[in-house]
Amino acid sequence: MNRKGFIDFNAQNSTKKSGRAYSYAKAIDILDIVLKYQDVINLNGKSLYDINDPIIIEEILNLVKVEVKKMRDKKPNIFDNGNPAQTSYPLNNYCSAALGSYINYIKFEQDKAADEIVNQEINPQTISEKLIRHFDITKEGEDKITTAKHRRGQDYFRRMILNNYNSRCALTGIDVPQLLLASHIIPWSDVEYKNNRLNPCNGICLSALYDKAFDKGLITISPDDYKVCLSPALLEYESEDFFDKHFACIDGQKITLPTDYKPGKDFLAYHRDIVFVR
């Protein structure tokens, strides 16, 4: 992360001559000075541009919001050092906005580096292992930091899977992004297979209804011919109108396969044997 990169990132996402890119950079400069003299978050003498963890920047953003409120209430705060710019920038929300933009900048750079991993590697297992290290999601647990890192990895997984399927549901062809999900074949929660959490062969692009049915084991996909099988638990609803409309029509249907990273047959066998409701 660096100042020029941050300016360029904001310039690309701003109207010309808006000045926002340089205003945000100035706000980060001010925060670099101010944060040296507070004792809530220890940055070990680092500039904000030395920090590439969005979780830490989010903590700083929360701190700034609290301190700006103190400033508005005319209470002692971390901006009390007599510099007019260090008053006007936070009061006009430039510091908070700049930190929010910096979080997006970090994520943009992380995704760009992740894209390089995917583009340079051929083996999907290696891709998964390198992405797991890249997003630092090796730790298990329910703490805030672990949850946030897992979410970043899952967000990238969705993007990778949607790209692999040209942003279309493998069953229906629906291409409305808001309705598409990256369905894990082996669930994320199965720690025995955690090295495959970000494996592009462990995901299928499905629209919301079929993602949920797949996740709950009401449908599965045969590893032999990539055709859909319906669970007996779902067949109990054969007499319902919705069954013909949404499920009878996909029974035995072969999914649309991507050019790269077809669903792993071992993964599909796991889903059929472990997840599928018989």
Side-chain angles (χ1 to χ4, degrees), residues 182-220:
S183 304
H184 273 88
I185 302 172
I186 296 181
W188 181 283
S189 58
D190 192 330
V191 295
E192 186 178 344
Y193 292 86
K194 63 183 179 181
N195 287 341
N196 283 298
R197 282 173 169 168
L198 301 183
N199 187 324
C201 293
N202 189 32
I204 303 172
C205 180
L206 295 173
S207 54
L209 173 64
Y210 299 112
D211 165 79
K212 181 61 73 173
F214 188 74
D215 180 62
K216 296 300 182 182
L218 295 176
I219 63 173
T220 194

Side-chain angles (χ1 to χ4, degrees), residues 149-199:
K149 288 179 177 178
H150 283 199
R151 186 175 65 246
R152 284 291 297 133
Q154 289 169 327
D155 287 347
Y156 186 80
F157 182 77
R158 177 182 183 275
R159 179 178 164 221
M160 179 171 59
I161 296 302
L162 263 62
N163 285 341
N164 194 34
Y165 284 82
N166 293 317
S167 295
R168 288 182 178 275
C169 172
L171 275 175
T172 65
I174 287 174
D175 61 355
V176 181
Q178 296 91 329
L179 297 179
L180 298 178
L181 295 156
S183 304
H184 273 88
I185 302 172
I186 296 181
W188 181 283
S189 58
D190 192 330
V191 295
E192 186 178 344
Y193 292 86
K194 63 183 179 181
N195 287 341
N196 283 298
R197 282 173 169 168
L198 301 183
N199 187 324

Side-chain angles (χ1 to χ4, degrees), residues 10 22 25 44 68 72 86 96 99 107 109 123-124 137 142 145 147 149 151-152 167-168 178 191 193 236 238 240:
N10 281 298
Y22 287 96
N44 297 312
V68 168
R72 295 188 193 282
Q86 292 175 12
S96 297
L99 287 169
K107 292 177 179 178
E109 291 294 335
N123 187 310
I137 57 174
E142 296 299 328
I145 292 175
T147 300
K149 288 179 177 178
R151 186 175 65 246
R152 284 291 297 133
S167 295
R168 288 182 178 275
Q178 296 91 329
V191 295
Y193 292 86
E236 292 178 4
E238 275 186 293
E240 302 289 343

Side-chain angles (χ1 to χ4, degrees), residues 81-173:
N81 58 12
N83 186 325
Q86 292 175 12
T87 300
S88 63
Y89 266 67
L91 280 176
N92 287 296
N93 293 321
Y94 279 108
C95 291
S96 297
L99 287 169
S101 179
Y102 190 65
I103 290 171
N104 291 331
Y105 170 54
I106 292 174
K107 292 177 179 178
F108 171 78
E109 291 294 335
Q110 285 183 341
D111 283 354
K112 191 163 67 171
D115 286 344
E116 290 179 7
I117 291 171
V118 175
N119 292 333
Q120 290 172 4
E121 292 294 338
I122 298 174
N123 187 310
Q125 175 74 52
T126 304
I127 288 173
S128 181
E129 291 171 355
K130 287 192 172 184
L131 288 177
I132 286 169
R133 289 195 296 272
H134 173 68
F135 289 109
D136 189 23
I137 57 174
T138 55
K139 182 181 176 184
E140 299 298 330
E142 296 299 328
D143 58 276
K144 180 180 177 182
I145 292 175
T146 299
T147 300
K149 288 179 177 178
H150 283 199
R151 186 175 65 246
R152 284 291 297 133
Q154 289 169 327
D155 287 347
Y156 186 80
F157 182 77
R158 177 182 183 275
R159 179 178 164 221
M160 179 171 59
I161 296 302
L162 263 62
N163 285 341
N164 194 34
Y165 284 82
N166 293 317
S167 295
R168 288 182 178 275
C169 172
L171 275 175
T172 65

Side-chain angles (χ1 to χ4, degrees), residues 54-66:
I55 298 170
I56 296 175
I57 301 299
E58 190 170 341
E59 290 178 357
I60 295 170
L61 174 57
N62 291 334
L63 169 65
V64 167
K65 288 178 178 178
V66 169

